[in-house]
Amino acid sequence: MTRGSHVRAVVALSVLLAGPARAEEPPCDAADIAVATIPVPPQSATAYRRAELVGRAAAQAPGAGIVLLGDSLTELWPEALARETFGDGLLNLGVGSDRTQNVLWRLQDARYARLAPRTVFLMIGTNNLGYGDKACAILDGIRRIVDRIDALWHRPALVVVGTPPRGRKSAFRDDARTALNRAVAELLAGRGGAVLVEGADAALRCADDQCPTFLPDMVHLTPEGYATLGAAIRARRAPAPAP
């Protein structure tokens, strides 16, 4: 990831967050950036146990061709539906409650270095939003995750799902979330070899208080939600038809 692409993404995020129709977030300061980017371990025993479990799995599956990285939205992906989307040879390294800083901590695990995936799937950021982290800080966290993936696994193909909608009527911090996803798209454009699954946002968005694609907490997905997400990923990854 080049510094120029990061600067363009930050500028794009600033523009998207501004304007009379949106409540503009204050700029990130050093504390905002530090919270989202300094690697820290999981902050609950349950998540720490899961992190240790997936660390052992990484050590035991060096031939995994596809790695899934993320929070509980990734961890809870039904295996059959994940394989339907990505095929065989996948390793799910999702850890519930993860934020960008926790993924960065896990990517320091020497057991992850034994892997050599051809493709990495990344979906992270919803817990940062839930904790009130600013979009500009989350963006920097995602940038550092991508940089670490590239250094660790030699620039694999990258499939990124933007932070999905959440909350009643999909309204929770929606302006900041949408702007963040657009800035991530700009960030990935400078990398190359990356696919941003933009269709997932519209497919999952729900105008009602409850939605068949979300559990009652309006954060986690139902099997139907995972099927919808998988369809959006497959459509984005499909090769363009011949002219």
Side-chain angles (χ1 to χ4, degrees):
M1 189 70 61
T2 66
R3 180 173 179 82
S5 64
H6 174 54
V7 170
R8 289 195 301 272
V10 171
V11 170
L13 180 59
S14 300
V15 171
L16 288 163
L17 284 173
R22 288 189 166 95
E24 185 176 356
E25 286 190 332
C28 283
D29 61 17
D32 294 317
I33 297 296
V35 166
T37 62
I38 294 177
V40 295
Q43 296 301 292
S44 76
T46 298
Y48 198 100
R49 293 184 192 103
R50 169 67 183 177
E52 176 58 25
L53 179 66
V54 300
R56 292 198 299 269
Q60 295 165 6
I66 302 166
V67 164
L68 312 185
L69 272 177
D71 47 44
S72 58
L73 293 173
T74 300
E75 177 186 345
L76 298 175
W77 204 324
E79 183 175 353
L81 292 176
R83 292 187 184 281
E84 182 179 308
T85 297
F86 294 102
D88 294 327
L90 65 83
L91 179 62
N92 189 332
L93 299 181
V95 174
S97 82
D98 257 11
R99 295 156 71 183
T100 52
Q101 58 266 43
N102 306 127
V103 173
L104 287 165
W105 180 81
R106 292 199 287 121
L107 288 173
Q108 297 176 142
D109 191 327
R111 294 171 294 189
Y112 283 33
R114 302 181 190 182
L115 299 168
R118 299 182 306 275
T119 301
V120 174
F121 167 86
L122 175 66
M123 181 166 55
I124 195 69
T126 192
N127 290 323
N128 292 83
L129 280 176
Y131 273 89
D133 296 342
K134 292 177 184 174
C136 43
I138 304 170
L139 174 65
D140 208 20
I142 292 172
R143 177 185 66 82
R144 297 189 194 206
I145 290 171
V146 172
D147 286 347
R148 179 59 181 156
I149 287 171
D150 286 348
L152 184 63
W153 293 323
H154 309 292
R155 289 180 61 87
L158 187 60
V159 179
V160 179
V161 170
T163 303
R166 62 180 286 169
R168 300 299 177 189
K169 296 181 172 62
S170 295
F172 180 79
R173 294 193 66 190
D174 198 49
D175 287 344
R177 184 192 64 81
T178 302
L180 168 63
N181 288 343
R182 293 175 182 169
V184 169
E186 175 71 16
L187 192 67
L188 296 177
R191 175 190 187 269
V195 169
L196 181 69
V197 184
E198 298 165 294
D201 189 287
L204 292 173
R205 183 174 288 278
C206 185
D208 299 321
D209 285 339
Q210 295 185 344
C211 187
T213 54
F214 284 94
L215 293 174
D217 64 5
M218 296 301 290
V219 175
H220 295 94
L221 300 178
T222 62
E224 182 175 340
Y226 281 107
T228 299
L229 175 59
I233 293 170
R234 291 193 297 275
R236 185 65 181 86
R237 294 180 74 197

